[in-house]
Amino acid sequence: MTKVRKTLSELAGLVGGRVVGDGGIEILRVASIEEAGPGDITFLAHPRYRSYLATSRASAVIVGGGAPPPSSGKAVKAFLEVRDPYIAFAKILHVFNPLQQYDGGISDHATIDPTAIIEERVTVFPYVYVGREARVGRGTVLLPGVFLGDGVVVGADCFIHPQVTIRERCRLGNRVILHAGVVIGADGFGYAGEGKERIKIPQVGIVEIEDDVEIGANTTVDRATLGRTLIRRGTKIDNLVQIAHNVVVGEDAIIAAQAGVAGSTRIGNQVILAGQVGVVNHVDIGDKARIGPQSGIPRSVPPGAVLSGGIAAAPHPQWLKVMTLLPQLPRLWSTVRGLERKLSRLAQRRRKGVKKDARR
Amino acid sequence: MTKVRKTLSELAGLVGGRVVGDGGIEILRVASIEEAGPGDITFLAHPRYRSYLATSRASAVIVGGGAPPPSSGKAVKAFLEVRDPYIAFAKILHVFNPLQQYDGGISDHATIDPTAIIEERVTVFPYVYVGREARVGRGTVLLPGVFLGDGVVVGADCFIHPQVTIRERCRLGNRVILHAGVVIGADGFGYAGEGKERIKIPQVGIVEIEDDVEIGANTTVDRATLGRTLIRRGTKIDNLVQIAHNVVVGEDAIIAAQAGVAGSTRIGNQVILAGQVGVVNHVDIGDKARIGPQSGIPRSVPPGAVLSGGIAAAPHPQWLKVMTLLPQLPRLWSTVRGLERKLSRLAQRRRKGVKKDARR
Amino acid sequence: MTKVRKTLSELAGLVGGRVVGDGGIEILRVASIEEAGPGDITFLAHPRYRSYLATSRASAVIVGGGAPPPSSGKAVKAFLEVRDPYIAFAKILHVFNPLQQYDGGISDHATIDPTAIIEERVTVFPYVYVGREARVGRGTVLLPGVFLGDGVVVGADCFIHPQVTIRERCRLGNRVILHAGVVIGADGFGYAGEGKERIKIPQVGIVEIEDDVEIGANTTVDRATLGRTLIRRGTKIDNLVQIAHNVVVGEDAIIAAQAGVAGSTRIGNQVILAGQVGVVNHVDIGDKARIGPQSGIPRSVPPGAVLSGGIAAAPHPQWLKVMTLLPQLPRLWSTVRGLERKLSRLAQRRRKGVKKDARR
């Protein structure tokens, strides 16, 4: 796929690491430690994989502090010692897999409103639709089937994958990546009244997405009722996530797949929501809070909190027993309290009896 | 976005409310109570926001019974007193944000089978595909990338957002809104046999969606194996919801984001399913039942029931302790029962002893 | 929809069953037991539906061993006795609903790179995009809006529904069905570093999907960081499922709607994951394991295990009580242990007291 070649010393220079062993060996590819062969650099993500070193056929291995002697690998000729092997791995992957360059062409099979502003070096694929007075920043790529509603603003160097919908007036910063099937700015889920009297509350706000946000495939971010739903700088959202109307997600947050955040909730900076987490509406998740998988969050969470929820699955018959007893917890407590009372009465009587005995 | 201007008295007339203060002031916009400024009307959704009144710069505020004196707001010149502020808010939002009018044009870049029937004032955007003998009712709008399979029927005044797929023979009533990425009529998930012998059960039924239904972005409603999957009048479904084959959802139900309903289950009228709820197959959820977020519903639910499920997340170390003890509930019960037996034996012996003492 | 007519004896021949009653009756359609009328064949999926026989107006009924006498049905003239009624039902449905034949035409409104290879009898609908050096096998159908990235390989006789995205270099086997809105090969969710230092790890691997896999609407399967995410032969995946990077799903597995599998996890052959299950990263689910709805799987699961998780919803007030007590389980245990100690002390004293009494 690529013809990049680098010596290990060159790579060390690029990522700020130290070569242990032969810095002159040539690296052609990056591979996982199980699959790496000659010409490959790989990395030791975790000390527990250290045993792989003995059999690895990789030419070089990225390691954290304390590189083992190169002789410890069958074929491994050198190590690249760095502070954070994972970051070095990511950077070296970028070196060997440079982003595809797009030619800045605009397909004849796209529909672009004459009032839209398309800046320089924008690439527009077939079947893209760009609405009235929309604006697309330089270097941005719109893959096939992308829809930009009227007045949408997309910043520079964004990458919008196929079938993405960005509805009217929503705004994206620079270097935003939206994966295939993402929907930005669908109506928030808001109704007034009940039953047959129920009426739709027009959702006239927008979605604003700041710089360097990445949003996973088929995720949905709803527009605000009034004002805006906001995803702040650097936040990364996985696939099939739901972000409801008027939610604010802070900077550098991480939201894993299938999590859902209900209306008007605020997610702080650097918060981590694991997969399938659900957060109710109108609460605050403090900065740097970390929420475990499948957790339900019914109230606000202080900054830095580390919460877990969900229940590990268990063998079915055991589970059935536990689940039968769980609703009886209140009865269990009152049984135990009854026992406490009886026991203390008994102990009291015994003490009295002993005293009586003693008096006799 | 809009140039509508109304006096407060005019708005009172439109929503059936009473003006307290100056009915002649001119309203230009609707805004949230925190953000409202001069020319804005806002609303007090909940008494707990009453403190905002003192600092609000809104020109007018929609309130429920018992409007505070206008003097209580810094800039607030008048109140609009109504029975249900939320409904009045929704109606006034409609006044200031009238639905966009579409011209009824049919794009040259759409593909419409010659046997399809497109009624009057239908708007068809580029890259729409309309199959054989499909029918689209008057006033309906099909946004870019919409797919209507052969024999699909869409009623009047529907709004079908980008990238929506409606597969063959499915039927929509009037005023149905499908948000971007919705899939109506994909095959239900049905197989017979096991392992390598497993074969697909053809899903030859349809989906039928009645009038005034709204379905959120990227939600999926599967076609029936035989017969139909049915979403009845007035029901509102949020984003990323799964409705399986042969499900029936009653009238005016509310299904929040990421909920899932398994095959052949019936959801009654005015039922509310909160976010991430899961309902098993072949059960009945009675009319007006309300199911809390993340609940699992393994059996039928009577009408009007109010159920909760899921477990609130807790600080990780506390959670770990609880989760270690939970599987030991059966042992705890038997310990407690053992204590009960011992205690009653002890009490009995004591009574005998006391009697013995008494006899002495 | 179809004009197929078969006698019951012919159907018996096709599915390998035995006719009980009049084999000469003509069957025109398949219908559910509640809705079947004259000319219809239906089936008894479960003995509990046997009561329907008395009122069914079906001409014939597929049953398992031990067909009731034909006279037991009002209109039922005959039974088709088979080993597995569900498989026979599926096969007969295929007979009456043959797959639609496509003409192999390639739309003028599709965009196919000149370096792509399109084999014989491939049908390409409008607004399909096929990238550089992609390859599409014979008999495959690409519905409107399908996107195939550069170097994608799609096997023979695949059916790719509208708006499906298959990103660069991903590979599909033969007879694969992808339902509308599926996204294959979006970037896996991988970053190195924290906060502002966080950088994206390029996801340069692929997704490989083997023969006879079916994937439900709006499901996402992410490409591997390195190497491949793999879905093996015969596996069926429902709607809105998330399969993360580097996951391997074995053969003939079943993954129900809204389940999620985190990165690098291995799902064995013939595993069943029910709806809304969540599996953490880097674990192994053994062959033929079966995991109940909403279960969270935090660790590896041995082959053949039958696990359940989640908690059935309960009436809200009862639930509230249980949920208040649940975090107090550790205190309950220590209370019970305290009781045990006190009781044994009391019993000991009593024994001593009794001895003292006895000595007196």
Side-chain angles (χ1 to χ4, degrees), chain B residues 106-166:
Chain B
I106 293 183
S107 168
D108 291 345
H109 301 295
T111 299
I112 299 177
D113 192 275
T115 62
I117 296 170
I118 309 293
E119 295 186 0
E120 289 166 49
R121 288 182 299 105
V122 168
T123 304
V124 180
F125 276 77
Y127 322 128
V128 166
Y129 179 92
V130 179
R132 276 194 294 275
E133 294 175 16
R135 183 174 190 125
V136 182
R138 52 201 263 156
T140 283
V141 180
L142 305 178
L143 271 283
V146 165
F147 171 85
L148 306 187
D150 296 345
V152 162
V153 176
V154 175
D157 296 318
C158 292
F159 201 96
I160 313 296
H161 284 276
Q163 334 292 4
V164 166
T165 293
I166 307 179

Side-chain angles (χ1 to χ4, degrees), chain C residues 256-281:
Chain C
Q258 297 176 319
V261 181
S264 301
T265 278
R266 293 175 159 266
I267 307 286
N269 298 329
Q270 298 186 45
V271 164
I272 298 175
L273 303 184
Q276 299 185 336
V277 162
V279 185
V280 297
N281 55 3

Side-chain angles (χ1 to χ4, degrees), chain C residues 261-310:
Chain C
V261 181
S264 301
T265 278
R266 293 175 159 266
I267 307 286
N269 298 329
Q270 298 186 45
V271 164
I272 298 175
L273 303 184
Q276 299 185 336
V277 162
V279 185
V280 297
N281 55 3
H282 288 279
V283 301
D284 248 283
I285 309 297
D287 292 351
K288 298 196 179 180
R290 287 160 49 196
I291 316 289
Q294 291 194 324
S295 298
I297 305 294
R299 65 186 69 89
S300 289
V301 169
V306 180
L307 302 191
S308 290

Side-chain angles (χ1 to χ4, degrees), chain B residues 12-30:
Chain B
L14 285 166
V15 304
R18 191 174 73 91
V19 173
V20 178
D22 178 1
I25 54 169
E26 215 172 43
I27 303 297
L28 309 173
R29 281 172 309 270
V30 186

